[in-house]
Amino acid sequence: MEALVIGGGIIGVATACHLAERDVDVTVIEKSHVGAGSTGRSGGGIRVQFSTSVNVELSLASKQVWDTFEDEFHTDIRRRRIGYLFLARTEETAEQLRRDVGMQNAFGATTELLTPEEAAEYCPKLYTDKFVAASYSASDEFVDPNLALTGYADRARELGVEFLVDEVVDIRVEDGAVVGVETPTRKLDAEYVVNAAGPWAGNVAAMAGVELPITPELHRLAFARPDEPLPEYVPLTIDLDSGAVFRPEEDDVAAIGGHFDDHPPADPDNFPQKIGLEWTMKALEGVADVCGYFGPDSAVTNGLTGLYAMTPDTNPIIEETLPGFVNAVGFSGHGFMHAPATGKLVAELIVDGEASLVDISTLSSDRFETASPSAEQNFI
Ligand SMILES: Cc1cc2nc3c(=O)[nH]c(=O)nc-3n(C[C@H](O)[C@H](O)[C@H](O)COP(=O)(O)OP(=O)(O)OC[C@H]3O[C@@H](n4cnc5c(N)ncnc54)[C@H](O)[C@@H]3O)c2cc1C
């Protein structure tokens, strides 16, 4: 069986790897270079703290791969197991956290509910009087996304996957089934074509006549030197009510960011490369309102921009949309961590004809027409 995977990001390369493990002949077609899209700009965060059960299940299934990645893929991905700390300012948000932790625990995750004072054991300068509850998962972590992608790509090559630098400009459909793709210079045939084109995925789906609600949105991350360095054990901390996020990096630098209702739609081939003064001020003010590390002498040293491929409910679409056309798209800011499970699920869809690792029936694209989808609340 032959498959063409469009996109050399973590979703495409993990998918290629897991397909090749199941004896499928795979070619990855990447228009630029492996990691050129969102993956190369990702924060590399891996967490189980989600509000929808399907995301928890995708996290737990992916974790089995992340936990053994260094041995299995012979790649040091610089794991930092510092956990994620979620904070609630209001009783309403605290109630959501309680529901989420109960659901996560029911699936076997070890997330704990904490009082603000208990949370301060992980983040000592936390302004405990501003919060009413917190949740913490020690198994949440972050890794270097480029090293992880390289590990997957090396394994894929070992398994015989070919990488082609070319741009898919059309998807060939005959009698309602996808039969291959076209690039400016080639016509390629395959029984399966996988759309793993990240922020470009809506355009790629349209080449097969399929309309998918994917919006590329601009997201930003800044690197700051706080007045007082964060201890390196401080978790990635998110204030769910304000959207502010921070975590310690190396050399006394902290990564800061957040979502402040300001993620403009963006053109994936031409989007702003600078984080901008207004957003930087909001990010600094946001983290300064959470804990005492970010005083008036904090300085932003660097920043990066990138794109989230958003769906209306911030959950991905993983399905065989037309015979022979599989979409693994719309990861809405959590595609890096969910790539291992996604790769295995796509391999199951293609080789077994159905997915079994995780129940992905809620991730089909018709959910946007037929039901009111359950939106992910724990969005970072
Ligand atoms: C600032 C930032 C921080 C993030 N932090 C996290 C995090 O902590 N944890 C997490 O899980 N996720 C995070 N994400 C999200 C994560 O980066 C993405 O969900 C993930 O990388 C998506 O991978 P992908 O393979 O689907 O897409 P991409 O990495 O964008 O890859 C798509 C590839 O397709 C190629 N392509 C597109 N069109 C064509 C075509 N026509 N022909 C050939 N090739 C084509 C592109 O060149 C690109 O290389 C973050 C994202 C950003 C921007």
Side-chain angles (χ1 to χ4, degrees), residues 268-286:
D269 289 311
N270 182 22
F271 61 90
Q273 300 295 309
K274 293 191 174 157
I275 53 178
L277 189 59
E278 198 185 329
W279 182 89
T280 306
M281 292 305 294
K282 278 190 201 170
L284 266 176
E285 282 164 14

Side-chain angles (χ1 to χ4, degrees), residues 7 9-11 30-31 38-39 42-43 45 168 199 307 333-337:
I10 192 82
I11 296 292
E30 165 54 54
K31 67 176 178 166
S38 299
T39 303
S42 161
V168 172
L307 301 177
H334 24 100
F336 173 76
M337 68 184 90

